[in-house]
Amino acid sequence: MFVPDPVMSIAIDASRDDQGRMQKALRRFQREDPTFRVEVKQDTNETVISGMGELHLEVYCERMRREFKVESLKTGEPKVNYRETITNKIAYEYTHKRQSGGRGQYGKVMGYFEPIPEEEHLDDKEGIEFVNKLIGHDIPPSYVPAIEKGFRNATSKGLLTGSPLINMRCVLEDGASHEVDSSAEAFQAAAQGAFDNFYHDANPVVLEPMMAVEVTFPSEFQAQALQSLNTREGSIQSTKAVSSDTSLVEALVPLRRMFGYSSDLRSVTQGQGEFSMEFREYSEMPQQRAEELIAEVRRRAREA
């Protein structure tokens, strides 16, 4: 069964007395729902829950408070889970070489990075594809898994926003090794160096989750409902009547623009509008929005 990656995350915390009940609730929710994820950040020790949208996570937070009596539960600001990818094919050649007395480190990798065409997009959780096209033994076969690990580690954190990469192919074609100084660690570092030094040449872009949104409302409020989606960068897919006095609109909307939509919809439909949404795809973020996000990520990194 294919389970989509979460598209939104929030940090949660509770008092010491409530920690046990909170952890019990989180274990229960993960058993019930494969799209609900829990992670404890190693650098900050904060607990982060992830799911398929704002309402999805709000429901679980409310369940913690009501069913499990986690009355001290606090939540942070919701965060959209972005992705990155490349748009150009680019050749790489990188040598990792270090000598500091005694045995050194040496590993050279050559090949190319390329975007995976849309018709070949991956469903696996790794997000990237590694292809070994080595001929001969300039790189001993025993080091190839280390090179793949290096690429997978590197692409778990893109250089634009720190988001994981998807739909990128890393192809290994050639390289070189040293009888004494080569090691798995050296070739893993070579793969990381190749990514770090050639990533920007592949014209990377930021991808954002797009949500398929369905809105139902009394037909008299159709203009207001359409306007509520248009102001959130929504792309209207269809509009139809579902009864003599009720209409339905289907739209694609960036998840980052869906925060607080339930309140806005109630406001413009006198409390009678309803909506549902589900993840549709990752799509390239508009350039200006992406630049703003990248600047914000860099600002937070400087302040950390």
Side-chain angles (χ1 to χ4, degrees), residues 8-14 18 21-23 25-26 29-30 32-33 36-38 47-51 53-78:
M8 182 179 290
S9 304
I10 58 172
I12 61 171
D13 195 14
D18 281 347
R21 287 188 289 274
M22 184 179 83
Q23 295 303 325
L26 295 176
F29 299 158
Q30 287 182 96
E32 293 177 350
D33 183 354
F36 179 81
R37 311 283 176 82
V38 180
T47 300
V48 176
I49 59 174
S50 302
E54 186 178 20
L55 181 60
H56 188 206
L57 297 178
E58 283 179 358
V59 167
Y60 281 118
C61 288
E62 192 58 30
R63 284 186 63 188
M64 277 189 270
R65 294 186 179 101
R66 292 190 176 183
E67 290 180 33
F68 293 86
K69 309 303 181 187
V70 186
E71 296 174 358
S72 64
L73 183 70
K74 295 185 232 178
T75 59
E77 288 293 317

Side-chain angles (χ1 to χ4, degrees), residues 94-97 105-109 176-178 181-183 186-187 190:
Y94 185 81
T95 302
H96 174 75
K97 188 175 183 180
Q105 293 186 25
Y106 182 88
K108 181 178 181 180
V109 292
S177 61
H178 187 277
D181 293 342
S182 287
S183 64
F187 274 103

Side-chain angles (χ1 to χ4, degrees), residues 91 99 108 238 273 283:
Q99 195 73 44
K108 181 178 181 180
S238 70
S283 181

Side-chain angles (χ1 to χ4, degrees), residues 12 60 112 128 131 133 140 147 152 200 210 212 216 258 262 274 289 302-303:
I12 61 171
Y60 281 118
Y112 59 88
I128 67 153
V131 179
K133 290 189 175 181
I147 296 171
R152 293 199 181 278
H200 287 289
M210 300 295 293
T216 55
M258 288 301 294
S262 57
E274 297 179 348
R289 304 299 185 196
R302 288 194 301 267
E303 294 175 353

Side-chain angles (χ1 to χ4, degrees), residues 103-175:
R103 183 178 177 181
Q105 293 186 25
Y106 182 88
K108 181 178 181 180
V109 292
M110 300 168 61
Y112 59 88
F113 303 132
E114 67 177 356
I116 296 176
E118 186 172 351
E119 62 272 15
E120 299 177 32
H121 279 184
L122 302 170
D123 283 339
D124 65 44
K125 298 301 177 190
E126 305 299 336
I128 67 153
E129 179 183 354
F130 173 76
V131 179
N132 176 16
K133 290 189 175 181
L134 286 174
I135 299 175
H137 289 80
D138 288 337
I139 297 178
S142 59
Y143 291 141
V144 172
I147 296 171
E148 178 176 0
K149 182 178 180 181
F151 281 132
R152 293 199 181 278
N153 287 345
T155 55
S156 69
K157 192 171 184 180
L159 303 182
L160 299 179
T161 63
S163 304
L165 270 82
I166 59 174
N167 301 322
M168 171 180 170
R169 184 175 288 129
C170 304
V171 180
L172 176 67
E173 294 184 301
D174 202 355

